Amino acid sequence: EFKTPLSIINTSLYLLGKSDRPDVRSEHHERIRVQVRGLSDLVETLVVMSKLDSGAELTMLPVNLNSVLNQVEVIIKQNFADRANDITISTTENMPPVMGNIDYIEQAINNLMDNAIRYTARGQSIFLRTLIDDDYVIVEIEDRGIGIPPELHTEIFKRFYRGDEAHSTRGFGLGLPIARSIMQWHGGDVTVSSTPKVGSTFRMLFPRVKVQ
C-alpha cells in the first residue's frame, strides 16, 4: 500500500526535473498531491487501527445517534458535494442514547458511507438512517450499488481485503474492518446483507442499555 504511491511520487519528481513545460509540470504536481493525500489518509487509518488493537481505554459518554447523523451529513456535503442528491438521510424520533465515543462512531459511519458511495454509481440511491428494535439501536446504510456475493460477506471485513483486485477504486481495504472493530469495541457489531447487482445494507448494531 505504501510502495505504489511512493513509486508514483518518485517517478513524477524525476519527470518534473526533466521538463520545462508548464502543462507537464502541473500534471505531475497534481499526481504528487493526490498520492501524498492518499499516504496521509493511510497513515491516519493505521493510527486508528493501532489504537483499537491496543485496547486503550477511550472516553465513553451518552451519544444521540440522530445528532451524529446530522454531523455526518455536514461532512458528506463537504466531501461528496457531487453526490449529495443521491444520499437520503432520515432519523427515527425518540432515539434512546447509546454509550459510546462520538469520534469513533462518526468514523465508523463515515467509513461505511465512503464504501457505499465508492461502489454505487452516480444517480443511484444511498440511504443513511437510524432505527430501533427490541435489542439494538441501529445506524443503517443501504445502497443500490454493485452488491457483494454471499461468499465474500466475511472476506470484506478482513484487513486489506480488496474485492477490486486491480485497485481501480480508491481505498486500502481497511474501512470495513475498522468500522467493525469500532462497533465491537462498543459491544455491538456491523452486519451486512447484500445481493449482487441489487445493492447492500450495512447495519451498525448498538446494544440497548440504560444510560444514567
Side-chain angles (χ1 to χ4, degrees):
E1 296 297 339
F2 281 101
K3 285 172 68 176
T4 298
L6 287 172
S7 176
I8 293 171
I9 291 170
N10 218 14
T11 300
S12 290
L13 285 170
Y14 172 78
L15 294 174
L16 271 172
K18 293 290 186 179
S19 177
D20 293 326
R21 289 176 50 187
D23 58 330
V24 173
R25 293 180 65 84
S26 177
E27 178 184 347
H28 289 297
H29 275 128
E30 179 61 15
R31 286 183 181 176
I32 292 170
R33 187 194 67 79
V34 169
Q35 296 304 321
V36 168
R37 173 66 183 274
L39 285 171
S40 177
D41 289 345
L42 176 56
V43 170
E44 290 179 11
T45 300
L46 292 172
V47 168
V48 171
M49 191 171 66
S50 177
K51 286 181 179 179
L52 291 169
D53 286 347
S54 73
E57 185 174 346
L58 299 176
T59 303
M60 300 281 278
L61 296 170
V63 176
N64 183 312
L65 292 177
N66 286 346
S67 297
V68 175
L69 259 62
N70 291 335
Q71 181 59 33
V72 168
E73 183 174 13
V74 173
I75 295 171
I76 289 171
K77 287 181 177 179
Q78 291 174 345
N79 296 340
F80 302 102
D82 59 328
R83 300 297 303 274
N85 292 334
D86 298 341
I87 300 167
T88 300
I89 298 177
S90 59
T91 56
T92 297
E93 293 184 359
N94 302 317
M95 288 283 288
V98 300
M99 290 300 296
N101 182 288
I102 191 167
D103 293 331
Y104 278 80
I105 292 172
E106 282 186 8
Q107 171 135 25
I109 296 173
N110 285 328
N111 285 3
L112 292 171
M113 283 298 294
D114 184 77
N115 189 74
I117 291 168
R118 186 185 311 150
Y119 292 107
T120 300
R122 192 181 307 275
Q124 296 296 314
S125 297
I126 299 170
F127 302 92
L128 172 62
R129 56 176 75 98
T130 54
L131 303 166
I132 314 169
D133 67 17
D134 291 339
D135 300 313
Y136 297 102
V137 181
I138 302 163
V139 175
E140 184 175 87
I141 297 93
E142 178 186 358
D143 66 57
R144 299 288 187 269
I146 62 174
I148 306 163
E151 64 271 18
L152 298 182
H153 288 189
T154 300
E155 298 295 314
I156 59 174
F157 290 104
K158 293 181 178 179
R159 293 177 182 180
F160 295 106
Y161 175 81
R162 294 283 301 273
D164 172 20
E165 294 182 359
H167 288 208
S168 60
T169 57
R170 57 190 170 79
F172 306 106
L174 291 171
L176 295 181
I178 285 178
R180 172 166 274 184
S181 292
I182 289 171
M183 288 309 302
Q184 291 174 340
W185 187 82
H186 281 79
D189 201 0
V190 175
T191 64
V192 59
S193 59
S194 184
T195 303
K197 300 182 180 179
V198 175
S200 304
T201 299
F202 288 85
R203 302 183 111 204
M204 298 169 56
L205 305 177
F206 295 85
R208 295 190 65 164
V209 295
K210 291 182 179 180
V211 177
Q212 299 297 326

